Amino acid sequence: MSARGWWLFAAMAVIWGLPYLFIKEAVDSFSPAAVVAGRTLVGALLLLPIALHRRALGPALRMWPWVLAFGAIEMAGPFFLLGHAEQTISSGLTGLLVATVPLFAAIIAAFRGDRRALRPLRALGLVVGFGGVAVIVTGEGFAVRGDAAGLIAVGEVLLVAIMYATAPFIVATKLKDVPSLGSITLSLGAVGIAYLPIVLLTQHQVPTVRSTVSLAALAVICTAVAFIAFFALIAEIGPVRAPLFTYINPVVAILLGVVVLGEQLTPGLLVGFPLVLVGCWLAATGGRLRRVAEPDLAVTSATPIAPVPVDPPTEPSPR
């Protein structure tokens, strides 16, 4: 890999580990709906000139029903659920739970007829990965509050992981000939506009400066800049190796939560974190250190921050 490729790889490893910190700070005084609207609208406005220059919007508009479906599953639902969940649980735990995307992607691939997802090592990866989640959630003194609110928040983040695992199949089957930049820009704009009326009903306090800066950073750094860098990384090292940085994203999320927000590094995270990552790696690769060319029956999650699921990926969308 070239020096430029390494710099881009390192940048993406950090950038898509940041959203959980910024979401945690933003929902301190913004409603979850306001965070969604602010992030998506600013991101869309920043990406729009690039999408227009590359003539990426036309093909996306022609497939608008599927683009909107993709936006609903990949952005509208997950962005809101993440914001709501982080009002209760830590940013580090959120980032780690989202990293279970490859586990759900393997299950979805199996239901779609991909028998490779049921090979012994991949099945073992599912058991190990979900075992890690169980350790984190149920262990004594571990990262989740034992009340209903904490368990609901965990459920919300796991639902996000399921949605992130589902959305790429829309891209692979219905939007495969549409430029990713066009689909992403149109989706971000549509989701932002759809959330504006909800913002008027849910935003009841004046946002703090800290929350406002975090929301701006979420939109600019973790959405617009992230995509520009990610497209450059794909051009530099190819679409198969590019998403490998997502194995580092949960580490960044946990460390930022501990260092910046003072979140507790619990025994549950220390034990469950490696189990989740090992499980994701086994479920995604079957234990191979190098990929073998196979039919693309499954694709990666379309947004930042989850290890590579089963087989070569499509370009992801924002986390």
Side-chain angles (χ1 to χ4, degrees):
M1 189 186 303
S2 66
R4 183 171 185 268
W6 280 114
W7 278 109
L8 288 169
F9 188 93
M12 292 309 306
V14 174
I15 288 174
W16 271 337
L18 288 172
Y20 308 106
L21 168 65
F22 292 144
I23 291 172
K24 186 72 171 180
E25 293 283 9
V27 295
D28 185 58
S29 62
F30 283 102
S31 70
V35 173
V36 176
R39 176 183 184 179
T40 53
L41 286 175
V42 173
L45 289 174
L46 292 174
L47 291 175
L48 183 60
I50 302 173
L52 291 173
H53 176 72
R54 297 185 182 180
R55 299 181 179 179
L57 284 182
L61 287 170
R62 287 192 287 273
M63 296 293 292
W64 66 267
W66 288 110
V67 171
L68 294 183
F70 168 75
I73 297 174
E74 178 69 25
M75 302 174 192
F79 288 1
F80 179 84
L81 290 171
L82 287 175
H84 188 265
E86 287 205 49
Q87 291 180 319
T88 302
I89 62 177
S90 69
S91 63
L93 175 59
T94 303
L96 179 54
L97 291 175
V98 173
T100 59
V101 168
L103 304 179
F104 292 108
I107 294 172
I108 294 170
F111 277 108
R112 295 181 73 242
D114 184 358
R115 294 185 178 180
R116 291 167 295 156
L118 298 178
R119 289 175 180 172
L121 282 177
R122 285 181 169 170
L124 176 62
L126 294 176
V127 174
V128 172
F130 284 118
V133 173
V135 167
I136 294 168
V137 173
T138 64
E140 182 180 355
F142 287 175
V144 180
R145 286 165 35 187
D147 59 14
L151 295 178
I152 289 172
V154 169
E156 288 176 324
V157 180
L158 291 176
L159 178 57
V160 168
I162 294 172
M163 297 175 82
Y164 277 160
T166 303
F169 290 96
I170 297 178
V171 176
T173 58
K174 303 299 182 181
L175 300 174
K176 60 183 179 180
D177 297 323
V178 177
S180 295
L181 183 60
S183 297
I184 291 163
T185 304
L186 183 59
S187 297
L188 286 170
V191 170
I193 292 171
Y195 264 93
L196 282 178
I198 305 175
V199 174
L200 297 176
L201 297 174
T202 60
Q203 184 62 39
H204 303 304
Q205 67 181 105
V206 177
T208 64
V209 173
R210 185 163 179 163
S211 290
T212 303
V213 171
S214 295
L215 180 54
L218 184 64
V220 175
I221 299 174
C222 301
T223 304
V225 172
F227 275 109
I228 295 171
F230 187 67
F231 295 147
L233 181 62
I234 290 174
E236 186 72 21
I237 67 174
V240 173
R241 287 193 296 166
L244 292 176
F245 66 82
T246 52
Y247 282 105
I248 306 173
N249 293 154
V251 181
V252 174
I254 291 172
L255 289 178
L256 287 173
V258 171
V259 174
V260 179
L261 300 177
E263 295 175 349
Q264 184 179 4
L265 189 58
T266 64
L269 285 177
L270 292 174
V271 175
F273 174 64
L275 291 176
V276 169
L277 286 192
V278 170
C280 288
W281 176 67
L282 287 173
T285 68
R288 296 193 309 267
L289 294 178
R290 296 180 63 87
R291 292 178 182 272
V292 178
E294 296 176 335
D296 293 343
L297 294 181
V299 292
T300 67
S301 169
T303 89
I305 74 209
V308 183
V310 187
D311 300 317
T314 58
E315 298 172 12
S317 63
R319 296 283 191 238

